[in-house]
Amino acid sequence: MKALYEQSQTDVNEAKSEGRSDLIPTIKFRHCCLLRNQRCIAAYLYYRLLCIRALRWEYGSVLPTSIRFHMCAEELEWFNQYKKSLATYMRSLGGGEGLDITQDMKPPKSLYIEVRILNIYHGLR
């Protein structure tokens, strides 16, 4: 992308200084290529962040070394920030007691659950 940008800048300067209008289609084409590449890179980075976020839910707050090895420093920093944000959110749930929402990620197999109630009003009748 840097090479495309530099070539376009050279052609833009040449088109302005020497009045070469024949370079305009080339400049426009390079500009479209740069925009396309930018969109592709943004989509790839977003996909990487989604994968890193999924790793937090799959492996917990500590990643295995084999996975950390394939991540750059910025990705590790993003993972740590996401981990802290998720921990702060979980501490705020459950009336101040906290609730670990990363546990029991799979729904129960049974449609019915057993509920036990502690009757605290037994002497009020």
Side-chain angles (χ1 to χ4, degrees):
M1 285 185 64
K2 185 177 179 180
L4 280 176
Y5 178 77
E6 289 172 354
Q7 288 172 348
S8 287
Q9 283 302 109
T10 303
D11 286 350
V12 165
N13 293 337
E14 189 175 329
K16 282 183 180 179
S17 64
E18 298 177 15
R20 291 192 53 195
S21 60
D22 61 320
L23 292 175
I24 292 175
T26 305
I27 295 167
K28 286 183 178 182
F29 178 74
R30 281 197 197 110
H31 183 70
C32 289
C33 290
L34 286 169
L35 292 176
R36 179 194 172 278
N37 290 350
Q38 185 181 28
R39 287 190 309 270
C40 290
I41 290 170
Y44 171 74
L45 291 175
Y46 182 69
Y47 175 75
R48 287 282 291 191
L49 290 181
L50 291 178
C51 290
I52 293 169
R53 185 176 68 178
L55 289 173
R56 167 57 182 95
W57 290 85
E58 184 178 345
Y59 290 102
S61 60
V62 179
L63 290 176
T65 308
S66 60
I67 292 176
R68 291 179 69 88
F69 176 74
H70 294 289
M71 296 170 66
C72 68
E74 290 80 9
E75 290 172 334
L76 289 171
E77 181 182 341
W78 191 90
F79 176 81
N80 289 328
Q81 290 297 322
Y82 180 72
K83 176 176 69 173
K84 288 177 187 176
S85 296
L86 186 60
T88 301
Y89 175 70
M90 289 190 299
R91 278 193 301 273
S92 72
L93 297 175
E97 295 178 17
L99 179 65
D100 189 359
I101 60 175
T102 62
Q103 298 296 317
D104 301 322
M105 295 298 294
K106 294 181 182 175
K109 292 182 180 180
S110 173
L111 296 177
Y112 302 101
I113 60 170
E114 181 180 335
V115 177
R116 296 182 184 182
I117 300 172
L118 176 63
N119 188 356
I120 58 172
Y121 299 108
H122 64 282
L124 295 177
R125 288 192 202 189

PDB file of all heavy atoms in Angstrom, residues 115-125:
ATOM      1  N   VAL A 115     -36.609 -27.180  41.458  1.00  0.00           N
ATOM      2  CA  VAL A 115     -36.510 -25.941  42.216  1.00  0.00           C
ATOM      3  C   VAL A 115     -36.878 -26.248  43.655  1.00  0.00           C
ATOM      4  O   VAL A 115     -37.934 -26.830  43.933  1.00  0.00           O
ATOM      5  CB  VAL A 115     -37.451 -24.855  41.644  1.00  0.00           C
ATOM      6  CG1 VAL A 115     -37.390 -23.593  42.488  1.00  0.00           C
ATOM      7  CG2 VAL A 115     -37.119 -24.570  40.204  1.00  0.00           C
ATOM      8  N   ARG A 116     -36.057 -25.855  44.591  1.00  0.00           N
ATOM      9  CA  ARG A 116     -36.334 -26.022  46.012  1.00  0.00           C
ATOM     10  C   ARG A 116     -36.535 -24.642  46.615  1.00  0.00           C
ATOM     11  O   ARG A 116     -35.764 -23.733  46.378  1.00  0.00           O
ATOM     12  CB  ARG A 116     -35.183 -26.737  46.701  1.00  0.00           C
ATOM     13  CG  ARG A 116     -35.004 -28.149  46.200  1.00  0.00           C
ATOM     14  CD  ARG A 116     -33.905 -28.822  46.940  1.00  0.00           C
ATOM     15  NE  ARG A 116     -33.699 -30.139  46.375  1.00  0.00           N
ATOM     16  CZ  ARG A 116     -32.827 -31.001  46.828  1.00  0.00           C
ATOM     17  NH1 ARG A 116     -32.064 -30.676  47.859  1.00  0.00           N
ATOM     18  NH2 ARG A 116     -32.692 -32.178  46.276  1.00  0.00           N
ATOM     19  N   ILE A 117     -37.590 -24.539  47.427  1.00  0.00           N
ATOM     20  CA  ILE A 117     -37.922 -23.254  48.031  1.00  0.00           C
ATOM     21  C   ILE A 117     -37.807 -23.376  49.537  1.00  0.00           C
ATOM     22  O   ILE A 117     -38.304 -24.323  50.145  1.00  0.00           O
ATOM     23  CB  ILE A 117     -39.357 -22.838  47.647  1.00  0.00           C
ATOM     24  CG1 ILE A 117     -39.476 -22.725  46.131  1.00  0.00           C
ATOM     25  CG2 ILE A 117     -39.739 -21.545  48.334  1.00  0.00           C
ATOM     26  CD1 ILE A 117     -40.873 -22.514  45.656  1.00  0.00           C
ATOM     27  N   LEU A 118     -37.161 -22.415  50.121  1.00  0.00           N
ATOM     28  CA  LEU A 118     -37.052 -22.337  51.564  1.00  0.00           C
ATOM     29  C   LEU A 118     -38.227 -21.503  52.059  1.00  0.00           C
ATOM     30  O   LEU A 118     -38.347 -20.337  51.717  1.00  0.00           O
ATOM     31  CB  LEU A 118     -35.721 -21.700  51.979  1.00  0.00           C
ATOM     32  CG  LEU A 118     -35.526 -21.470  53.468  1.00  0.00           C
ATOM     33  CD1 LEU A 118     -35.531 -22.817  54.212  1.00  0.00           C
ATOM     34  CD2 LEU A 118     -34.220 -20.770  53.706  1.00  0.00           C
ATOM     35  N   ASN A 119     -39.096 -22.120  52.852  1.00  0.00           N
ATOM     36  CA  ASN A 119     -40.282 -21.420  53.350  1.00  0.00           C
ATOM     37  C   ASN A 119     -39.890 -20.632  54.584  1.00  0.00           C
ATOM     38  O   ASN A 119     -39.678 -21.182  55.661  1.00  0.00           O
ATOM     39  CB  ASN A 119     -41.387 -22.425  53.663  1.00  0.00           C
ATOM     40  CG  ASN A 119     -42.696 -21.746  54.000  1.00  0.00           C
ATOM     41  OD1 ASN A 119     -42.771 -20.534  54.081  1.00  0.00           O
ATOM     42  ND2 ASN A 119     -43.736 -22.559  54.186  1.00  0.00           N
ATOM     43  N   ILE A 120     -39.800 -19.305  54.445  1.00  0.00           N
ATOM     44  CA  ILE A 120     -39.423 -18.476  55.595  1.00  0.00           C
ATOM     45  C   ILE A 120     -40.637 -17.887  56.270  1.00  0.00           C
ATOM     46  O   ILE A 120     -40.536 -17.248  57.317  1.00  0.00           O
ATOM     47  CB  ILE A 120     -38.482 -17.340  55.157  1.00  0.00           C
ATOM     48  CG1 ILE A 120     -39.130 -16.463  54.101  1.00  0.00           C
ATOM     49  CG2 ILE A 120     -37.161 -17.908  54.652  1.00  0.00           C
ATOM     50  CD1 ILE A 120     -38.341 -15.219  53.765  1.00  0.00           C
ATOM     51  N   TYR A 121     -41.832 -18.117  55.747  1.00  0.00           N
ATOM     52  CA  TYR A 121     -43.059 -17.546  56.306  1.00  0.00           C
ATOM     53  C   TYR A 121     -43.861 -18.585  57.088  1.00  0.00           C
ATOM     54  O   TYR A 121     -45.040 -18.432  57.295  1.00  0.00           O
ATOM     55  CB  TYR A 121     -43.933 -16.980  55.177  1.00  0.00           C
ATOM     56  CG  TYR A 121     -43.258 -15.888  54.397  1.00  0.00           C
ATOM     57  CD1 TYR A 121     -42.816 -16.098  53.104  1.00  0.00           C
ATOM     58  CD2 TYR A 121     -43.052 -14.646  54.973  1.00  0.00           C
ATOM     59  CE1 TYR A 121     -42.184 -15.091  52.399  1.00  0.00           C
ATOM     60  CE2 TYR A 121     -42.412 -13.628  54.269  1.00  0.00           C
ATOM     61  CZ  TYR A 121     -41.989 -13.876  52.984  1.00  0.00           C
ATOM     62  OH  TYR A 121     -41.375 -12.865  52.294  1.00  0.00           O
ATOM     63  N   HIS A 122     -43.266 -19.652  57.539  1.00  0.00           N
ATOM     64  CA  HIS A 122     -44.012 -20.744  58.183  1.00  0.00           C
ATOM     65  C   HIS A 122     -44.677 -20.317  59.493  1.00  0.00           C
ATOM     66  O   HIS A 122     -45.689 -20.842  59.882  1.00  0.00           O
ATOM     67  CB  HIS A 122     -43.116 -21.954  58.405  1.00  0.00           C
ATOM     68  CG  HIS A 122     -41.976 -21.714  59.342  1.00  0.00           C
ATOM     69  ND1 HIS A 122     -40.852 -21.045  58.951  1.00  0.00           N
ATOM     70  CD2 HIS A 122     -41.817 -22.031  60.648  1.00  0.00           C
ATOM     71  CE1 HIS A 122     -40.017 -20.976  59.986  1.00  0.00           C
ATOM     72  NE2 HIS A 122     -40.586 -21.571  61.016  1.00  0.00           N
ATOM     73  N   GLY A 123     -44.185 -19.335  60.185  1.00  0.00           N
ATOM     74  CA  GLY A 123     -44.779 -18.921  61.442  1.00  0.00           C
ATOM     75  C   GLY A 123     -45.661 -17.700  61.329  1.00  0.00           C
ATOM     76  O   GLY A 123     -46.187 -17.225  62.328  1.00  0.00           O
ATOM     77  N   LEU A 124     -45.907 -17.201  60.158  1.00  0.00           N
ATOM     78  CA  LEU A 124     -46.678 -15.960  59.991  1.00  0.00           C
ATOM     79  C   LEU A 124     -48.158 -16.207  59.785  1.00  0.00           C
ATOM     80  O   LEU A 124     -48.923 -15.273  59.689  1.00  0.00           O
ATOM     81  CB  LEU A 124     -46.121 -15.144  58.822  1.00  0.00           C
ATOM     82  CG  LEU A 124     -44.699 -14.620  59.004  1.00  0.00           C
ATOM     83  CD1 LEU A 124     -44.266 -13.900  57.749  1.00  0.00           C
ATOM     84  CD2 LEU A 124     -44.604 -13.701  60.217  1.00  0.00           C
ATOM     85  N   ARG A 125     -48.629 -17.425  59.708  1.00  0.00           N
ATOM     86  CA  ARG A 125     -50.054 -17.684  59.460  1.00  0.00           C
ATOM     87  C   ARG A 125     -50.875 -17.465  60.664  1.00  0.00           C
ATOM     88  O   ARG A 125     -50.828 -17.646  61.729  1.00  0.00           O
ATOM     89  CB  ARG A 125     -50.258 -19.092  58.964  1.00  0.00           C
ATOM     90  CG  ARG A 125     -49.775 -19.243  57.555  1.00  0.00           C
ATOM     91  CD  ARG A 125     -50.283 -20.550  57.086  1.00  0.00           C
ATOM     92  NE  ARG A 125     -49.463 -20.990  55.981  1.00  0.00           N
ATOM     93  CZ  ARG A 125     -49.769 -22.009  55.259  1.00  0.00           C
ATOM     94  NH1 ARG A 125     -50.824 -22.718  55.533  1.00  0.00           N
ATOM     95  NH2 ARG A 125     -49.033 -22.377  54.269  1.00  0.00           N
TER      96      ARG A 125
END
